[in-house]
Amino acid sequence: MLCVSLMRKYEDTYRHKGLRKKLIDTLKEKGISDAAVLEAINSIPRHYFLDSAFDEIAYEDRAFPIGDGQTISQPYTVAYQTQLLQVKPNDKILEIGTGSMYQATVLAEMGARVYTIERQKNLYEKTKQFVLRNKYINIKYFYGDGFEGLPTYAPFDKVIITAAAPFVPPKLVEQLKTGGKMVIPVDEGQHQRMLRLTKNEDGTYEEEAFENFSFVPMLSGKNG
Ligand code: SAH
């Protein structure tokens, strides 16, 4: 029984592919125009990242619970952040908040080298069973506190934060290359303002502000 349901979960049918095409149309209508981002989302079976109970609706443009009070971000949010990041093949990217691994997989599909950190032990442990782990060998998973980043692997071309940051973590700015970009939703009460930072040579950064979003909080320290 278990075997049968597992097989079903990891089947990418024509129906799933059709639903993905529709999702791509929705994302285009909402203003996502980066062809590489749309292509990556079109290539990845999003239903693999959700509990099989959500298989039928995996391609609606909405967020879903993934357990432990966490969510897989809405496809529009993933597309929006990825577009802002201006991903180039071979970019070395640090992601804070692995969650379901979906965002990391989108970046990897675009040819980036991804370093992703999760503070929840059980979510981190799940990455070891990820069915596409052998396909995306360009993703490295870490259990840790995103506020600290990964000094050993720095500097990064890009940093993406997928939880609501109370402020711009200084250590993450430090770990960015000169000219590197960080996409980060920063807390403004109920919602977060999406910011894109570009690091200057002297360690300061330029800031551009975009739309408001709603993320689960970025919490300090590890859990588990
Ligand atoms: N990128 C994820 C989104 C997950 S939601 C996806 O594609 O599914 C945000 C995630 O950030 C949660 O899993 C949460 O546990 C994690 N998180 C929150 N604060 C963190 C921190 N300080 N360091 C690392 N991960 C953190």
mmCIF file of all heavy atoms in Angstrom, residues 70-73 95-103 117-120 123 144-147 162-163 216-219, ligand 1:
data_model
loop_
_atom_site.group_PDB
_atom_site.id
_atom_site.type_symbol
_atom_site.label_atom_id
_atom_site.label_comp_id
_atom_site.label_asym_id
_atom_site.label_seq_id
_atom_site.Cartn_x
_atom_site.Cartn_y
_atom_site.Cartn_z
ATOM 1 N N GLN A 70 4.981 25.424 9.230
ATOM 2 C CA GLN A 70 5.693 26.089 8.141
ATOM 3 C C GLN A 70 4.933 25.937 6.832
ATOM 4 O O GLN A 70 4.021 25.142 6.725
ATOM 5 C CB GLN A 70 7.107 25.520 8.006
ATOM 6 C CG GLN A 70 7.922 25.673 9.268
ATOM 7 C CD GLN A 70 7.991 27.114 9.745
ATOM 8 O OE1 GLN A 70 8.082 28.035 8.951
ATOM 9 N NE2 GLN A 70 7.937 27.306 11.046
ATOM 10 N N THR A 71 5.332 26.703 5.852
ATOM 11 C CA THR A 71 4.616 26.691 4.568
ATOM 12 C C THR A 71 5.584 26.557 3.399
ATOM 13 O O THR A 71 6.751 26.913 3.508
ATOM 14 C CB THR A 71 3.844 28.013 4.366
ATOM 15 O OG1 THR A 71 4.759 29.096 4.550
ATOM 16 C CG2 THR A 71 2.688 28.153 5.327
ATOM 17 N N ILE A 72 5.057 26.022 2.298
ATOM 18 C CA ILE A 72 5.761 26.132 1.019
ATOM 19 C C ILE A 72 5.214 27.421 0.420
ATOM 20 O O ILE A 72 4.003 27.618 0.353
ATOM 21 C CB ILE A 72 5.516 24.910 0.096
ATOM 22 C CG1 ILE A 72 6.153 25.089 -1.287
ATOM 23 C CG2 ILE A 72 4.055 24.569 -0.050
ATOM 24 C CD1 ILE A 72 6.121 23.808 -2.163
ATOM 25 N N SER A 73 6.109 28.320 0.029
ATOM 26 C CA SER A 73 5.665 29.627 -0.453
ATOM 27 C C SER A 73 4.774 29.486 -1.674
ATOM 28 O O SER A 73 4.880 28.524 -2.441
ATOM 29 C CB SER A 73 6.867 30.501 -0.821
ATOM 30 O OG SER A 73 7.718 30.676 0.284
ATOM 31 N N GLU A 95 20.473 30.442 0.418
ATOM 32 C CA GLU A 95 19.053 30.593 0.732
ATOM 33 C C GLU A 95 18.834 30.391 2.226
ATOM 34 O O GLU A 95 19.340 29.423 2.803
ATOM 35 C CB GLU A 95 18.192 29.549 -0.012
ATOM 36 C CG GLU A 95 16.708 29.727 0.309
ATOM 37 C CD GLU A 95 15.800 28.537 0.004
ATOM 38 O OE1 GLU A 95 16.294 27.395 -0.063
ATOM 39 O OE2 GLU A 95 14.596 28.751 -0.151
ATOM 40 N N ILE A 96 18.060 31.274 2.847
ATOM 41 C CA ILE A 96 17.688 31.096 4.250
ATOM 42 C C ILE A 96 16.243 30.606 4.295
ATOM 43 O O ILE A 96 15.339 31.284 3.794
ATOM 44 C CB ILE A 96 17.815 32.422 5.051
ATOM 45 C CG1 ILE A 96 19.170 33.103 4.826
ATOM 46 C CG2 ILE A 96 17.529 32.176 6.533
ATOM 47 C CD1 ILE A 96 20.377 32.280 5.156
ATOM 48 N N GLY A 97 16.038 29.429 4.906
ATOM 49 C CA GLY A 97 14.689 28.870 5.021
ATOM 50 C C GLY A 97 14.424 27.814 3.962
ATOM 51 O O GLY A 97 13.683 28.037 3.010
ATOM 52 N N THR A 98 15.026 26.624 4.121
ATOM 53 C CA THR A 98 14.883 25.541 3.132
ATOM 54 C C THR A 98 13.433 25.098 2.987
ATOM 55 O O THR A 98 12.962 24.856 1.869
ATOM 56 C CB THR A 98 15.713 24.309 3.561
ATOM 57 O OG1 THR A 98 17.028 24.740 3.908
ATOM 58 C CG2 THR A 98 15.771 23.257 2.467
ATOM 59 N N GLY A 99 12.746 24.968 4.124
ATOM 60 C CA GLY A 99 11.334 24.555 4.125
ATOM 61 C C GLY A 99 11.111 23.302 3.316
ATOM 62 O O GLY A 99 11.698 22.251 3.583
ATOM 63 N N SER A 100 10.296 23.399 2.278
ATOM 64 C CA SER A 100 9.943 22.241 1.444
ATOM 65 C C SER A 100 11.012 21.901 0.412
ATOM 66 O O SER A 100 10.892 20.900 -0.285
ATOM 67 C CB SER A 100 8.654 22.545 0.690
ATOM 68 O OG SER A 100 8.908 23.525 -0.300
ATOM 69 N N MET A 101 12.005 22.765 0.233
ATOM 70 C CA MET A 101 13.083 22.629 -0.777
ATOM 71 C C MET A 101 12.650 23.112 -2.164
ATOM 72 O O MET A 101 13.418 23.016 -3.114
ATOM 73 C CB MET A 101 13.587 21.172 -0.908
ATOM 74 C CG MET A 101 14.138 20.617 0.366
ATOM 75 S SD MET A 101 14.421 18.836 0.237
ATOM 76 C CE MET A 101 12.865 18.244 0.904
ATOM 77 N N TYR A 102 11.434 23.601 -2.286
ATOM 78 C CA TYR A 102 10.945 23.980 -3.618
ATOM 79 C C TYR A 102 11.725 25.170 -4.192
ATOM 80 O O TYR A 102 12.204 25.125 -5.334
ATOM 81 C CB TYR A 102 9.438 24.281 -3.561
ATOM 82 C CG TYR A 102 8.872 24.649 -4.917
ATOM 83 C CD1 TYR A 102 8.742 23.685 -5.919
ATOM 84 C CD2 TYR A 102 8.494 25.953 -5.201
ATOM 85 C CE1 TYR A 102 8.247 24.017 -7.170
ATOM 86 C CE2 TYR A 102 7.994 26.293 -6.453
ATOM 87 C CZ TYR A 102 7.869 25.322 -7.432
ATOM 88 O OH TYR A 102 7.389 25.656 -8.669
ATOM 89 N N GLN A 103 11.878 26.227 -3.390
ATOM 90 C CA GLN A 103 12.605 27.401 -3.873
ATOM 91 C C GLN A 103 14.057 27.036 -4.237
ATOM 92 O O GLN A 103 14.572 27.454 -5.274
ATOM 93 C CB GLN A 103 12.592 28.494 -2.788
ATOM 94 C CG GLN A 103 13.483 29.698 -3.064
ATOM 95 C CD GLN A 103 12.953 30.616 -4.148
ATOM 96 O OE1 GLN A 103 11.971 31.311 -3.956
ATOM 97 N NE2 GLN A 103 13.609 30.623 -5.303
ATOM 98 N N ILE A 117 19.852 26.860 4.131
ATOM 99 C CA ILE A 117 19.877 26.615 5.585
ATOM 100 C C ILE A 117 18.465 26.533 6.139
ATOM 101 O O ILE A 117 17.624 27.367 5.815
ATOM 102 C CB ILE A 117 20.569 27.778 6.348
ATOM 103 C CG1 ILE A 117 21.872 28.187 5.690
ATOM 104 C CG2 ILE A 117 20.807 27.412 7.808
ATOM 105 C CD1 ILE A 117 22.573 29.344 6.409
ATOM 106 N N GLU A 118 18.240 25.544 7.001
ATOM 107 C CA GLU A 118 16.956 25.414 7.704
ATOM 108 C C GLU A 118 17.229 25.310 9.203
ATOM 109 O O GLU A 118 18.134 24.588 9.616
ATOM 110 C CB GLU A 118 16.205 24.172 7.194
ATOM 111 C CG GLU A 118 14.916 23.842 7.919
ATOM 112 C CD GLU A 118 13.910 24.988 7.935
ATOM 113 O OE1 GLU A 118 13.537 25.488 6.867
ATOM 114 O OE2 GLU A 118 13.495 25.381 9.046
ATOM 115 N N ARG A 119 16.416 26.019 10.012
ATOM 116 C CA ARG A 119 16.635 25.992 11.461
ATOM 117 C C ARG A 119 15.838 24.893 12.155
ATOM 118 O O ARG A 119 16.063 24.590 13.324
ATOM 119 C CB ARG A 119 16.301 27.346 12.101
ATOM 120 C CG ARG A 119 14.824 27.677 12.110
ATOM 121 C CD ARG A 119 14.554 29.007 12.765
ATOM 122 N NE ARG A 119 14.708 28.958 14.213
ATOM 123 C CZ ARG A 119 13.796 28.495 15.063
ATOM 124 N NH1 ARG A 119 12.652 28.010 14.610
ATOM 125 N NH2 ARG A 119 14.000 28.514 16.366
ATOM 126 N N GLN A 120 14.865 24.299 11.447
ATOM 127 C CA GLN A 120 14.056 23.235 12.058
ATOM 128 C C GLN A 120 14.641 21.883 11.702
ATOM 129 O O GLN A 120 14.667 21.493 10.525
ATOM 130 C CB GLN A 120 12.620 23.318 11.557
ATOM 131 C CG GLN A 120 11.911 24.550 12.056
ATOM 132 C CD GLN A 120 10.465 24.263 12.417
ATOM 133 O OE1 GLN A 120 10.158 23.216 12.984
ATOM 134 N NE2 GLN A 120 9.589 25.184 12.088
ATOM 135 N N LEU A 123 12.635 19.414 9.457
ATOM 136 C CA LEU A 123 12.580 19.798 8.042
ATOM 137 C C LEU A 123 13.935 19.535 7.380
ATOM 138 O O LEU A 123 14.012 19.050 6.246
ATOM 139 C CB LEU A 123 12.186 21.272 7.883
ATOM 140 C CG LEU A 123 10.730 21.620 8.245
ATOM 141 C CD1 LEU A 123 10.494 23.121 8.136
ATOM 142 C CD2 LEU A 123 9.754 20.878 7.341
ATOM 143 N N GLY A 144 20.956 24.958 10.537
ATOM 144 C CA GLY A 144 21.592 26.041 11.276
ATOM 145 C C GLY A 144 20.707 27.261 11.359
ATOM 146 O O GLY A 144 19.544 27.240 10.956
ATOM 147 N N ASP A 145 21.280 28.331 11.883
ATOM 148 C CA ASP A 145 20.561 29.593 12.055
ATOM 149 C C ASP A 145 20.928 30.536 10.914
ATOM 150 O O ASP A 145 22.075 30.953 10.787
ATOM 151 C CB ASP A 145 20.941 30.204 13.407
ATOM 152 C CG ASP A 145 20.261 31.554 13.627
ATOM 153 O OD1 ASP A 145 19.487 32.002 12.745
ATOM 154 O OD2 ASP A 145 20.510 32.153 14.684
ATOM 155 N N GLY A 146 19.935 30.852 10.106
ATOM 156 C CA GLY A 146 20.148 31.707 8.943
ATOM 157 C C GLY A 146 20.722 33.086 9.265
ATOM 158 O O GLY A 146 21.345 33.708 8.406
ATOM 159 N N PHE A 147 20.514 33.568 10.489
ATOM 160 C CA PHE A 147 21.084 34.879 10.851
ATOM 161 C C PHE A 147 22.613 34.843 10.809
ATOM 162 O O PHE A 147 23.261 35.867 10.657
ATOM 163 C CB PHE A 147 20.622 35.308 12.252
ATOM 164 C CG PHE A 147 19.226 35.865 12.276
ATOM 165 C CD1 PHE A 147 18.154 35.073 12.645
ATOM 166 C CD2 PHE A 147 18.977 37.196 11.919
ATOM 167 C CE1 PHE A 147 16.861 35.577 12.667
ATOM 168 C CE2 PHE A 147 17.695 37.713 11.932
ATOM 169 C CZ PHE A 147 16.626 36.901 12.310
ATOM 170 N N THR A 162 13.725 33.503 2.689
ATOM 171 C CA THR A 162 12.339 33.118 2.399
ATOM 172 C C THR A 162 11.485 33.065 3.667
ATOM 173 O O THR A 162 10.507 32.336 3.740
ATOM 174 C CB THR A 162 12.279 31.769 1.635
ATOM 175 O OG1 THR A 162 12.743 30.718 2.483
ATOM 176 C CG2 THR A 162 13.100 31.801 0.368
ATOM 177 N N ALA A 163 11.876 33.855 4.671
ATOM 178 C CA ALA A 163 11.072 34.033 5.880
ATOM 179 C C ALA A 163 11.092 35.535 6.182
ATOM 180 O O ALA A 163 11.950 36.262 5.665
ATOM 181 C CB ALA A 163 11.671 33.235 7.038
ATOM 182 N N VAL A 216 6.175 33.477 6.921
ATOM 183 C CA VAL A 216 6.337 33.035 8.314
ATOM 184 C C VAL A 216 7.614 33.705 8.850
ATOM 185 O O VAL A 216 8.496 34.057 8.077
ATOM 186 C CB VAL A 216 6.428 31.485 8.447
ATOM 187 C CG1 VAL A 216 5.156 30.823 7.969
ATOM 188 C CG2 VAL A 216 7.638 30.926 7.692
ATOM 189 N N PRO A 217 7.674 33.907 10.177
ATOM 190 C CA PRO A 217 8.798 34.686 10.707
ATOM 191 C C PRO A 217 10.165 33.998 10.594
ATOM 192 O O PRO A 217 10.262 32.771 10.678
ATOM 193 C CB PRO A 217 8.436 34.886 12.187
ATOM 194 C CG PRO A 217 7.402 33.866 12.498
ATOM 195 C CD PRO A 217 6.719 33.510 11.215
ATOM 196 N N MET A 218 11.186 34.805 10.396
ATOM 197 C CA MET A 218 12.572 34.332 10.500
ATOM 198 C C MET A 218 12.920 34.391 11.984
ATOM 199 O O MET A 218 12.892 35.469 12.591
ATOM 200 C CB MET A 218 13.492 35.247 9.690
ATOM 201 C CG MET A 218 14.944 34.821 9.715
ATOM 202 S SD MET A 218 15.903 35.828 8.569
ATOM 203 C CE MET A 218 17.557 35.198 8.874
ATOM 204 N N LEU A 219 13.210 33.222 12.559
ATOM 205 C CA LEU A 219 13.459 33.140 14.003
ATOM 206 C C LEU A 219 14.923 32.846 14.240
ATOM 207 O O LEU A 219 15.560 32.145 13.451
ATOM 208 C CB LEU A 219 12.606 32.014 14.607
ATOM 209 C CG LEU A 219 11.087 32.148 14.396
ATOM 210 C CD1 LEU A 219 10.371 30.863 14.803
ATOM 211 C CD2 LEU A 219 10.550 33.356 15.147
HETATM 212 N N1 SAH B 1 11.907 28.349 0.816
HETATM 213 C C1 SAH B 1 10.856 27.563 1.431
HETATM 214 C C2 SAH B 1 9.897 28.452 2.240
HETATM 215 C C3 SAH B 1 9.687 27.882 3.601
HETATM 216 S S1 SAH B 1 8.898 28.887 4.786
HETATM 217 C C4 SAH B 1 10.131 26.719 0.392
HETATM 218 O O1 SAH B 1 10.409 26.848 -0.788
HETATM 219 O O2 SAH B 1 9.303 25.900 0.783
HETATM 220 C C5 SAH B 1 10.290 29.563 5.654
HETATM 221 C C6 SAH B 1 11.247 28.592 6.308
HETATM 222 O O3 SAH B 1 12.251 29.373 6.970
HETATM 223 C C7 SAH B 1 10.654 27.691 7.387
HETATM 224 O O4 SAH B 1 10.918 26.357 7.072
HETATM 225 C C8 SAH B 1 11.370 28.131 8.662
HETATM 226 O O5 SAH B 1 11.593 27.070 9.586
HETATM 227 C C9 SAH B 1 12.669 28.677 8.117
HETATM 228 N N2 SAH B 1 13.386 29.611 8.990
HETATM 229 C C10 SAH B 1 12.871 30.587 9.789
HETATM 230 N N3 SAH B 1 13.857 31.243 10.431
HETATM 231 C C11 SAH B 1 15.037 30.683 10.019
HETATM 232 C C12 SAH B 1 16.404 30.900 10.334
HETATM 233 N N4 SAH B 1 16.804 31.829 11.209
HETATM 234 N N5 SAH B 1 17.328 30.128 9.716
HETATM 235 C C13 SAH B 1 16.964 29.161 8.838
HETATM 236 N N6 SAH B 1 15.693 28.894 8.519
HETATM 237 C C14 SAH B 1 14.728 29.636 9.098
#
